[in-house]
RNA sequence: GGGCCUGUAGCUCCAACUGGCAGAGCAGCGGACUUUUAAUCCGAAGCGUGUGGGUUCGAGUCCCACCGGGCCCA
């Protein structure tokens, strides 16, 4: 699409666009494009105020509306327009008798997609449609490109993701999802703030990406000649702040993980992490129960959802089950950490898990959980007491040092939150980091590196603390009944497309 | 990274039989119409099929490579 053909300043090889460009240039020439516009009412507010009045009613009330013209139905000496603003749609009743010949034909010159402002009386048509009978209107901005099919809209998922602006203007579901996401984030923030949590921002650019098991994006700082990684978690910085005395702290932040893209993974995504001094993982379970239910109530009006066609009740309390017990239940065998390791390995093999010789009982059971048990969970469930070897930042379980006080919240087969009683013993933390470093040296490039400064922070004393991380995108998916993460991220990561053909070429 | 599927007009479409002149609806253009709701009716247009090769008398249809996308698996 990079041909060299020169064209007229107003020309375009697509006649649909050429005609719009000509009108745009005419509007520019006449100097009629406003820089601002005073709107008196949103479409949605007009519906709220007048929807119950009778067909044929004239209200005598003049209003000024503004938005995108989505459709025009021309009846000869009468026309109907559909104006869409951020709140919804309102019909424009356009009469030649009211506007006069010249203005009426100027209205018909408008194209669907144009932004206009219009003033007139609120009335209800004979058929009962709330309308503004316009007495004047102004073109605010010209749409040079045509809208998608007015009935079928824009369906192609690739086009919808790449041209989200078009998706949003024509697909109400997409607008609703974007608005619900905003409500979820705002309500999450309010819930934590109301409990005395302080919101902070910690660095994205780090010399070492830590706090999670993941591969980071790498970049370079030119002035400092320094290789940097984008953060894969906010965990260790937030706990440093608890050491510093910010006893309840949280961050809603973009996290970057250099991994593939699929239905539940985008390389950049939003995570909420929160830490509460003097709390343990039991307190955090209660906190999460309350917050999930409250956010659902606020964002979608109920904590009893329909997800992928099935009822899903987020009303507390959630089920609590130890990971080992859950695996025993699913495999229908009486297993525990004391089961002979050979037996566990054989069991793993049966579930398609190839157990590495270095794995202990905890790791083997954990791997079986991941492939066989997690996906069987539907109702919100706290899966608790993860093995020590897969939980390098969690405090040892008070009753069994082979386990940690860690849980994940699993709903509809996926993980929504990860939380623990935070490991606050610097000696233990160093040992865990060293175990990770050994795994790293053995080729596991997702294992945690040692963060010496973090250990130093622990040496100043981290109080007993409970912490949590919530995958915000997935939570939004749950609440909006979306099965792909790209539907809840406005601009998901994609390979670049070929440059779109320019609508106007240089002469 | 592997497998399968997919890309036709601005948008939508299981239009195009085993290769044989590339279609429709919507949008747009011209016309009719004073209560439409995807308005309706009449008329005239618009795509050479993601890109590049190849096979063939002839390719949207077959083959190869590449680009974008989807689903599943690692």
């Amino acid at each position: 699409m990079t041909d060299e053909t020169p064209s007229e300043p107003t020309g375009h090889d697509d006649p649909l666009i050429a005609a719009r460009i000509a009108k745009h240039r005419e509007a520019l020439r006449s100097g009629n494009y406003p820089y601002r516009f005073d709107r008196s009412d949103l479409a949605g507010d007009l519906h709220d105020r007048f929807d119950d009045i009778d067909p044929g009613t004239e209200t005598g009330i003049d209003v000024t509306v503004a938005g995108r013209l989505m459709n025009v139905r021309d009846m000869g000496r009468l026309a109907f327009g559909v104006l869409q603003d951020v709140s919804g749609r309102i019909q424009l009743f356009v009469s030649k008798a009211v506007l006069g010949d010249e203005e009426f034909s100027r209205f018909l010159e408008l194209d669907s997609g144009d932004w206009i402002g219009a003033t007139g009386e609120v009335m209800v048509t004979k058929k009962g449609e709330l309308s503004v009978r316009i007495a004047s209107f102004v073109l605010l901005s010209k749409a040079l490109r045509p809208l998608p099919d007015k009935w079928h809209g824009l369906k192609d998922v690739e086009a919808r993701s790449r041209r989200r602006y078009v998706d949003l203007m024509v697909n109400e579901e997409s607008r609703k999802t974007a608005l619900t996401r905003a409500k979820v984030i705002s309500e999450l923030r309010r819930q934590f703030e109301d409990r005395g949590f302080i919101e902070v921002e910690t660095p994205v650019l780090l010399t070492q990406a830590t706090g999670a098991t993941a591969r980071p994006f790498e970049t370079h700082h030119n002035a400092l000649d320094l290789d940097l990684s984008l953060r894969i978690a906010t965990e260790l910085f937030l706990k440093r702040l608890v050491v510093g005395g910010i006893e309840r702290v949280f961050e809603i932040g973009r996290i970057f993980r250099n991994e593939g893209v699929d239905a539940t993974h985008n390389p950049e995504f939003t995570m909420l992490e929160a830490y509460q001094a003097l709390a343990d993982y039991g307190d955090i379970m209660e906190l999460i129960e309350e917050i999930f239910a409250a956010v659902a109530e606020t964002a979608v009006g109920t904590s009893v959802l329909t997800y992928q066609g099935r009822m899903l009740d987020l009303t507390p309390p959630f089920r609590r089950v130890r990971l080992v017990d859950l695996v025993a239940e699913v495999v229908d065998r009486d297993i525990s950490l004391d089961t002979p390791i050979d037996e566990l390995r054989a069991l793993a093999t049966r579930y398609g898990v190839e157990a590495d010789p270095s794995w202990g009982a905890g790791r083997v059971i954990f791997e079986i959980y991941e492939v066989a048990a997690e996906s069987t969970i539907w109702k919100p469930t706290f899966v608790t007491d993860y093995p020590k070897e897969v939980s390098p930042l969690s405090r040892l379980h008070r009753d069994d040092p082979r386990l940690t006080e860690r849980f994940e919240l699993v709903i509809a087969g996926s993980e929504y939150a990860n939380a623990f009683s935070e490991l606050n013993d610097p000696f233990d933390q160093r040992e865990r980091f060293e175990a990770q470093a050994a795994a790293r040296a053995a080729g596991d490039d997702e294992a945690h590196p040692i963060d010496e400064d973090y250990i130093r922070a622990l040496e100043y004393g981290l109080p007993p603390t409970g912490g949590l991380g919530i995958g915000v995108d997935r939570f939004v998916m749950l609440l909006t009944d979306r099965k792909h993460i790209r539907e809840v991220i406005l601009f998901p990561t994609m390979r670049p497309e070929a440059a779109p053909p320019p609508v106007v070429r240089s002469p």
Side-chain angles (χ1 to χ4, degrees), chain A residues 235-262:
Chain A
E235 170 139 7
L236 299 190
F237 281 95
L238 294 176
K239 283 191 277 193
R240 281 173 169 94
L241 295 175
V242 178
V243 170
I246 304 179
E247 296 181 11
R248 295 186 180 200
V249 66
F250 77 108
E251 176 165 12
I252 300 173
R254 198 71 58 85
I255 301 296
F256 307 86
R257 294 185 181 173
N258 204 339
E259 294 164 352
V261 175
D262 65 26

Side-chain angles (χ1 to χ4, degrees), chain A residues 412-457:
Chain A
S414 297
E415 171 199 336
Y416 286 82
N418 182 24
F420 19 97
S421 298
E422 300 298 333
L423 173 53
N424 64 345
D425 173 11
F427 298 112
D428 190 359
Q429 183 65 74
R430 177 176 294 282
E431 279 173 28
R432 308 276 195 103
F433 275 150
E434 276 165 2
Q436 289 288 312
R440 206 177 170 79
D444 180 356
D445 58 358
E446 292 196 342
H448 297 225
I450 299 181
D451 187 334
E452 291 291 349
D453 176 73
Y454 177 67
I455 292 172
R456 178 168 62 187

Side-chain angles (χ1 to χ4, degrees), chain A residues 271-296:
Chain A
M271 184 138 84
L272 185 156
E273 286 194 37
Y275 294 84
Q276 178 177 343
L278 312 183
D280 68 4
Y281 76 151
D283 297 311
I284 300 298
M285 285 186 223
E286 283 169 26
L287 180 65
I288 287 180
E289 282 173 339
E290 288 170 20
I291 286 176
F292 267 58
V295 171

Side-chain angles (χ1 to χ4, degrees), chain A residues 42-315:
Chain A
L42 288 169
D45 296 338
L46 293 177
H47 283 291
D48 289 346
R49 276 168 67 191
F50 297 109
D51 262 357
D52 50 356
I53 64 180
D54 294 330
T57 304
E58 323 242 319
T59 63
I61 297 168
D62 279 345
V63 296
T64 298
V65 292
R68 191 184 290 279
L69 189 61
M70 299 304 289
N71 186 18
V72 175
R73 296 182 287 275
D74 172 14
M75 314 290 301
R77 283 188 280 178
L78 185 65
F80 297 93
V82 176
L83 192 75
Q84 174 173 292
D85 66 27
V86 68
S87 70
R89 294 180 166 196
I90 184 78
Q91 175 166 276
L92 303 179
F93 184 99
V94 189
S95 160
K96 198 173 197 169
V98 174
L99 273 183
D101 288 6
E102 206 169 298
E103 282 296 279
F104 186 73
S105 53
R106 200 169 68 82
F107 185 88
L108 294 180
E109 285 289 296
L110 294 171
D111 292 293
S112 59
D114 289 353
W115 283 85
I116 65 167
T119 299
E121 181 185 350
V122 177
M123 48 88 73
V124 180
T125 63
K126 286 180 196 165
K127 295 285 177 68
E129 183 76 24
L130 183 68
S131 307
V132 175
R133 181 165 52 210
I134 69 172
S136 65
F137 72 95
V138 57
L139 176 63
L140 298 172
S141 184
K142 190 74 195 161
L144 299 183
R145 294 181 186 268
L147 293 177
D149 189 290
K150 67 184 171 195
W151 183 244
H152 301 284
L154 187 67
K155 289 186 169 173
D156 181 75
V157 295
E158 181 182 358
R160 287 183 45 239
S161 301
R162 290 195 194 279
R163 283 181 275 161
R164 187 66 81 193
Y165 38 90
V166 180
D167 181 39
L168 290 169
M169 67 183 87
V170 299
N171 292 324
E172 186 174 0
E173 277 301 301
S174 297
R175 282 197 299 281
K176 246 178 77 182
T177 299
L179 297 180
T180 301
R181 183 185 175 109
K183 280 188 200 164
V184 168
I185 289 172
S186 141
E187 183 62 20
L188 280 169
R189 178 170 280 123
R190 190 205 325 273
Q191 288 292 326
F192 281 94
E193 284 179 340
D194 285 354
R195 289 171 172 79
F197 286 79
I198 305 296
E199 183 171 11
V200 297
E201 292 170 282
T202 63
V204 171
L205 293 172
L206 307 168
T207 51
Q208 265 190 339
T210 58
T213 312
R215 200 168 291 121
F217 283 94
E218 274 145 30
T219 185
H220 186 77
H221 187 283
N222 290 340
L224 298 181
D225 188 22
L226 188 62
D227 288 330
L228 294 169
S229 299
L230 304 192
R231 67 182 176 192
I232 55 174
T234 49
E235 170 139 7
L236 299 190
F237 281 95
L238 294 176
K239 283 191 277 193
R240 281 173 169 94
L241 295 175
V242 178
V243 170
I246 304 179
E247 296 181 11
R248 295 186 180 200
V249 66
F250 77 108
E251 176 165 12
I252 300 173
R254 198 71 58 85
I255 301 296
F256 307 86
R257 294 185 181 173
N258 204 339
E259 294 164 352
V261 175
D262 65 26
T264 53
H265 295 85
N266 195 66
E268 51 178 308
F269 62 99
T270 301
M271 184 138 84
L272 185 156
E273 286 194 37
Y275 294 84
Q276 178 177 343
L278 312 183
D280 68 4
Y281 76 151
D283 297 311
I284 300 298
M285 285 186 223
E286 283 169 26
L287 180 65
I288 287 180
E289 282 173 339
E290 288 170 20
I291 286 176
F292 267 58
V295 171
E297 291 280 356
T298 302
V300 297
T302 174
S303 57
V304 182
L305 314 172
T306 300
Y307 187 67
Q308 302 300 304
R310 276 180 78 181
M311 196 268 271
L312 186 57
D313 191 348
L314 297 186
T315 311

Side-chain angles (χ1 to χ4, degrees), chain A residues 353-398:
Chain A
V353 174
E354 216 179 294
D356 189 278
S358 68
W359 294 356
R363 178 71 184 269
V364 175
I365 291 170
F366 169 77
E367 298 287 342
I368 297 171
Y369 161 76
E370 290 232 296
V371 300
E374 190 179 51
S375 61
T376 66
I377 295 169
W378 181 259
K379 291 181 179 176
T381 301
F382 292 123
V383 179
T384 70
D385 301 347
Y386 279 55
K388 173 184 177 184
E389 50 198 306
V390 296
S391 312
L393 301 169
S394 310
R395 192 166 178 173
L396 292 183
H397 197 282
R398 61 196 78 181

